[in-house]
Amino acid sequence: MPTFYAPDAAPGHATYLLPEDESKHAVRVLRLAIGDAVTLVDGRGTCYAATVTEANPKRCNLRILKEEVIAPRPTYTHVAVAPTKNLDRMEWLVEKAVEVGIERLTFLRCARSERRDLKLERLEKIAVSALKQSGQAWLPQLDELTDFEDFIAEIDPATTFIAHLEAGERTALAQVIGTAPRCCVLIGPEGDFTPAEIDLALDRGVRPVTLGASRLRTETAALAAVFTAQVVREL
């Protein structure tokens, strides 16, 4: 059944008008007709069962038949990652992280970052598309680029872990997450965090972790952290 993102849908409303771009997609691409069933999701936990009442490519009208509130996951996964110079790799990360299950994704500006600015509009659209494709009801929070020092000053060190490649004792992420309901994992740029950044994090009480024996690309490491958090908690 086709799913549409409806961030302005409100409980109790009997009808909903799709925006023009979604109306065009519904009527011209999906060939929806009057009486066809669709699903709306608002990204805040509510899904709506609806039917088409007006199949106009400029204004596709829907009748809302039923509402269902989906509870958020009992766990909260937050990954903070330094975006790569190639934005395609961050787009891939956003898509896959949303599909696997993530609550928040923060982009870090580190000393060795290749990308110093980032526009979220394209990434937000990809997150919405992944939300619809994976049948989820909660849209993750995407944060603007944040300086590493500012981010470290605000985190809860008890639930935060840093995956770095410097020498020193590190524990497998799967072993330290356990059944903790919340976690935040820091992933550095291609050149890794600097020793000064690692020291700053450790001084704050952030624990060092490893994601395995292989040296992973930034986006792969970030997705591995998301996947590890979900799998460990499910088991």
Side-chain angles (χ1 to χ4, degrees):
M1 184 183 302
T3 299
F4 296 94
Y5 180 55
D8 53 346
H13 285 192
T15 62
Y16 185 79
L17 178 64
L18 289 177
E20 186 171 343
D21 59 334
E22 289 278 50
S23 293
K24 184 177 181 181
H25 180 72
V27 177
R28 293 272 172 81
V29 179
L30 299 179
R31 305 290 184 183
L32 294 182
I34 293 174
D36 286 345
V38 301
T39 298
L40 299 177
V41 58
D42 64 5
R44 302 183 304 277
T46 303
C47 294
Y48 304 83
T51 58
V52 177
T53 58
E54 182 183 3
N56 186 314
K58 291 188 175 180
R59 44 176 296 116
C60 184
N61 238 316
L62 309 174
R63 177 183 294 115
I64 296 177
L65 306 176
K66 185 175 64 173
E67 302 170 7
E68 181 183 6
V69 177
I70 309 296
R73 280 184 287 264
T75 56
Y76 190 94
T77 302
H78 179 189
V79 169
V81 57
T84 55
K85 184 176 182 180
N86 185 341
L87 194 57
D88 288 350
R89 289 159 62 184
M90 287 297 98
E91 293 176 357
W92 177 87
L93 169 62
V94 169
E95 178 183 71
K96 301 310 175 187
V98 174
E99 290 178 10
V100 172
I102 189 172
E103 279 63 46
R104 183 178 176 187
L105 185 61
T106 299
F107 296 102
L108 295 177
R109 186 186 292 110
C110 299
R112 292 172 176 166
S113 290
E114 296 178 293
R115 177 171 287 276
R116 311 304 295 182
D117 54 61
L118 182 71
K119 294 182 179 179
L120 287 185
E121 184 178 358
R122 168 69 178 163
L123 297 178
E124 289 170 341
K125 289 180 179 179
I126 290 173
V128 168
S129 179
L131 176 82
K132 296 189 296 184
Q133 187 278 328
S134 58
Q136 299 187 61
W138 291 88
L139 186 66
Q141 175 181 336
L142 300 186
D143 296 331
E144 299 277 359
L145 261 178
T146 305
D147 288 337
F148 181 84
E149 294 80 2
D150 294 338
F151 183 78
I152 285 295
E154 298 296 328
I155 54 90
D156 175 7
T159 59
T160 305
F161 309 92
I162 182 169
H164 67 79
L165 301 175
E166 290 289 317
E169 184 176 349
R170 291 168 293 154
T171 307
L173 180 62
Q175 294 180 9
V176 295
I177 287 182
T179 57
R182 301 180 70 89
C183 75
C184 175
V185 184
L186 312 184
I187 305 294
E190 289 297 324
D192 199 10
F193 295 112
T194 64
E197 288 170 335
I198 296 170
D199 289 342
L200 180 61
L202 299 183
D203 288 344
R204 279 278 285 139
V206 175
R207 286 173 282 177
V209 294
T210 176
L211 298 170
S214 299
R215 183 184 292 267
L216 305 177
R217 287 181 177 270
T218 295
E219 72 278 12
T220 309
L223 184 60
V226 176
F227 187 76
T228 298
Q230 297 296 359
V231 169
V232 167
R233 287 156 169 172
E234 288 178 4
L235 293 178

